[in-house]
Amino acid sequence: MSGNRTFTMIKPDAVGAGHIGAILNDIAAAGFKIVAMKMTQLTSAKAGEFYAVHKERPFYGELVEFMSSGPIVAAILEKENAVADFRTLIGATNPADAAPGTIRAKYAKSVGENAVHGSDSDDNAAIEGAFHFGGTEVFG
Ligand code: DAT
Ligand code: MG
């Protein structure tokens, strides 16, 4: 079952620019079912914990600051082959390299402020989903 789920966040840049509806529409049109969703704001401590794997990277500080700078929409999505298909839907990390029509190509501002998060593996999808949602907040 975990192979059919991924975790996403609509990041503060895209929320601030008014793109929540358009991005959710793209996600639904690509065949993903939303099984959990909330609008929230990460503290810098929580953002630091979520991105701890990037702690040694030069952009870690700016990433944590950005991800805690405003509200996000967090969601768990269900679809066959969810992790890989969602990475295809969102496009490359740097929107300059993202394929036309992908969410990052359409809505991301820069490599740092790149509109959406998508899990990179089934294991991380499960960890990231559990980081944001309790059992009574996940449906389906
Ligand atoms: P992705 O979000 O595509 O999985 P990642 O896991 O390599 O990319 O990096 C996590 C986030 O860190 C990414 O969405 C935006 C930020 N980031 C990555 N590379 C960056 C860079 N070179 N400069 C600034 N921010 C960067
Ligand atoms: Mg990543």
Side-chain angles (χ1 to χ4, degrees):
M1 194 60 197
S2 71
N4 294 331
R5 287 185 174 178
T6 192
F7 171 78
T8 187
M9 294 180 284
I10 302 176
K11 296 186 180 184
D13 60 313
V15 172
H19 295 317
I20 294 173
I23 290 171
L24 291 179
N25 195 51
D26 283 0
I27 290 171
F32 291 88
K33 178 183 170 192
I34 296 166
V35 296
M37 185 164 71
K38 70 171 75 160
M39 190 170 186
T40 187
Q41 183 162 353
L42 296 171
T43 61
S44 57
K46 274 286 200 189
E49 201 183 324
F50 186 87
Y51 284 108
V53 65
H54 296 303
K55 218 176 182 107
E56 305 307 325
R57 310 280 286 277
F59 56 79
Y60 178 72
E62 108 190 36
L63 174 62
V64 168
E65 187 181 354
F66 166 62
M67 287 303 297
S68 57
S69 67
I72 61 162
V73 174
I76 298 173
L77 306 174
E78 200 166 84
K79 182 186 183 296
E80 206 176 298
N81 202 31
V83 166
D85 284 2
F86 193 72
R87 296 293 303 203
T88 300
L89 178 67
I90 68 177
T93 305
N94 186 341
D97 302 327
T102 58
I103 290 175
R104 281 169 166 166
K106 290 197 282 187
Y107 303 116
K109 293 181 173 166
S110 65
V111 65
E113 304 197 4
N114 62 1
V116 284
H117 170 81
S119 304
D120 63 6
S121 68
D122 289 347
D123 284 352
N124 283 335
I127 290 166
E128 292 170 359
F131 184 89
H132 286 269
F133 295 98
T136 60
E137 299 176 304
V138 183
F139 304 90

